Amino acid sequence: MSRPASLSEPPLPLFTAPEPVNPGRLPSYIKDHRKRLRARFLEGGAAAVPDYELLELILFGAIPRGDVKPLARTLIDRFGGLAGVITAPQAQLLKVDGVGDCVLVALKLAEAAATRLTRAKLLNRPVISSWDALLDYCHTTMAHHPVEHVRVLYLDRKNCLIADEEQGRGTVDHVPLYPREVLRRALDLDASALILVHNHPSGDPTPSAQDIALTDCIRTGAEALSLVLHDHLIIGKSREFSFKAEGLL
């Protein structure tokens, strides 16, 4: 007896296999999200997007395919905000899953652009009369570093910036600074005045006894060389301490 034709046919699969995904094409929901986010930024500027979405925009170029929102949130949570992310040490950034060379370059490019933009506002202008721009620059370059950095701004007779030099890096609560080297460099540059700047990674810019003693030492040496120490700024996370404003200079 012959079997019915329907019984001799191979069984149909229970599920249809999905079509292969084109690796060069973004899923529509990610593509639409990127489009909407770019449009919102272009229409409203930085004020229209929170920090994690601004970070997403930075990451779009580094990661052309895929959802960057989880990485953006992870970075914000780990480093405490957008500023903390772009100023974080390279070694720390590379410990985060999803951060490779392309992401690292994008983040450090953002940091470099922010630094140069704020520094450009000081160039060829008297620093003393551009104090808000100076504070913006100092906070951009120093407020979020995990260890202490010290910089010296050397000024000419018109109080215009001659040189902005990092004099040292230290630990979370100490950085070495040698008055003799600071003053020797001023003479080399033919500077007439200087401003000391260093950060407190703790976020509290209150000066230590050592900060005060060191400032007095540099001021005394500067006066002997007919140089003016205009100020010593200590940069915290959200505010600064000015020796001049507080009557310590």
Side-chain angles (χ1 to χ4, degrees):
M1 180 178 177
S2 62
R3 298 177 64 188
S6 60
L7 296 180
S8 63
E9 293 174 355
L12 293 173
L14 294 178
F15 301 100
T16 303
E19 295 182 3
V21 177
N22 183 346
R25 180 180 301 170
L26 280 173
S28 60
Y29 74 94
I30 295 178
K31 183 178 180 180
D32 291 344
H33 170 69
R34 291 189 175 207
K35 183 178 180 179
R36 288 194 301 270
L37 188 52
R38 287 189 179 108
R40 183 147 47 91
F41 176 75
L42 289 175
E43 291 172 5
V49 294
D51 275 6
Y52 79 89
E53 288 186 332
L54 199 57
L55 182 54
E56 282 188 69
L57 288 164
I58 294 172
L59 295 175
F60 285 168
I63 304 176
R65 301 180 185 88
D67 185 3
V68 301
K69 183 181 293 184
L71 177 58
R73 288 190 176 276
T74 295
L75 289 167
I76 292 287
D77 290 343
R78 179 156 182 173
F79 296 104
L82 179 61
V85 173
I86 65 173
T87 59
Q90 295 186 21
Q92 293 298 317
L93 287 168
L94 289 171
K95 291 180 181 179
V96 178
D97 288 342
V99 175
D101 288 346
C102 289
V103 169
L104 188 62
V105 168
L107 295 176
K108 290 304 164 186
L109 183 61
E111 180 186 18
T115 298
R116 292 194 181 188
L117 177 61
T118 54
R119 188 174 186 274
K121 296 178 180 179
L122 294 176
L123 297 178
N124 302 316
R125 298 172 60 186
V127 170
I128 303 304
S129 60
S130 308
W131 203 250
D132 288 343
L134 172 64
L135 294 179
D136 286 345
Y137 172 66
C138 292
H139 277 281
T140 299
T141 56
M142 303 184 74
H144 300 279
H145 284 297
V147 298
E148 286 197 10
H149 290 221
V150 61
R151 311 184 75 86
V152 182
L153 309 182
Y154 295 100
L155 313 177
D156 64 15
R157 290 178 177 80
K158 294 182 179 180
N159 288 322
C160 291
L161 187 64
I162 297 174
D164 164 23
E165 298 185 349
E166 183 178 282
Q167 295 286 330
R169 300 187 183 193
T171 64
V172 294
D173 59 2
H174 174 72
V175 60
L177 181 64
Y178 305 102
R180 180 179 178 180
E181 297 303 319
V182 171
L183 298 174
R184 176 185 292 173
R185 184 60 177 153
L187 297 177
D188 290 343
L189 293 168
D190 196 24
S192 295
L194 58 153
I195 298 173
L196 305 176
V197 188
H198 84 278
N199 65 308
H200 278 182
S202 67
D204 180 3
T206 304
S208 65
Q210 184 179 15
D211 292 334
I212 295 172
L214 181 63
T215 305
D216 285 341
C217 180
I218 293 178
R219 175 178 58 180
T220 300
E223 289 174 349
L225 297 171
S226 298
L227 300 171
V228 178
L229 177 59
H230 280 307
D231 208 342
H232 181 176
L233 296 172
I234 302 178
I235 306 299
K237 284 289 193 296
S238 58
R239 60 190 180 93
E240 69 283 338
F241 184 96
S242 163
F243 275 63
K244 183 75 170 181
E246 297 297 329
L248 296 179
L249 269 177

